[in-house]
Amino acid sequence: LPFKYPEEVTLAGEKLDANKAFSDIFPRKDFRKPLTITIDPESAKDFDDALSLEKVGEGRWEVGVHIADVTAYVLPDDEIDREAAKRATSVYLVDRTVPMLPERLCNDLCSLKPGVDRPAYSVIFEIDDEAKV
């Protein structure tokens, strides 16, 4: 397993503009208002999955399923993308994690931390009080 990143990939990650994901070229819906919680365990280093819930009417609820969005930071075929493609996924071992993305992305820019604005891909649907979609 590749425990370290090539230096050029690490440097590319460090150079990323944290505000890029919030520019006008990436129109986004704001999900800061509804109750949103991570579904990753407390021991996780990267929090990239979340759920939201908001009452939208009598007997109706809006549910959101969110995953951290890396597309504003990682461009097709750039050095980070090529390295991530080689790794295919993060690997979770008993004593360590071998991440697919450089640390700046997986533990910072694309980590859905409480109280920190982060971009996400989201699927939103409504259910009723009986949990029927």
Side-chain angles (χ1 to χ4, degrees):
L1 290 174
F3 291 104
K4 291 193 159 207
Y5 274 87
E7 186 175 345
E8 65 273 9
V9 176
T10 301
L11 290 173
E14 293 301 320
K15 290 179 184 177
L16 293 171
D17 177 3
N19 295 315
K20 180 181 177 186
F22 300 101
S23 71
D24 291 340
I25 61 171
F26 298 103
R28 299 190 182 276
K29 185 173 177 185
D30 189 345
F31 287 102
R32 292 175 292 183
K33 182 181 176 264
L35 171 67
T36 304
I37 59 170
T38 182
I39 58 172
D40 293 300
E42 194 173 304
S43 60
K45 288 187 177 182
D46 60 335
F47 299 98
D48 56 355
D49 305 299
L51 294 173
S52 62
L53 182 67
E54 182 174 35
K55 189 168 185 112
V56 292
E58 187 61 39
R60 293 186 14 243
W61 299 85
E62 182 179 88
V63 178
V65 179
H66 314 279
I67 186 162
D69 175 13
V70 301
T71 62
Y73 303 111
V74 179
L75 301 175
D77 205 38
D78 71 6
E79 54 271 348
I80 296 173
D81 185 46
R82 288 190 301 272
E83 183 65 23
K86 288 179 196 172
R87 293 168 181 251
T89 188
S90 295
V91 178
Y92 298 91
L93 303 171
V94 173
D95 63 338
R96 72 186 96 181
T97 299
V98 182
M100 182 176 74
L101 297 169
E103 185 174 350
R104 173 107 191 279
L105 284 162
C106 64
N107 293 348
D108 182 17
L109 297 178
C110 297
S111 191
L112 304 177
K113 299 175 181 178
V116 180
D117 295 345
R118 291 291 185 242
Y121 272 120
S122 303
V123 174
I124 309 301
F125 55 95
E126 282 190 22
I127 61 172
D128 63 18
D129 284 338
E130 304 298 317
K132 291 181 185 166
V133 177

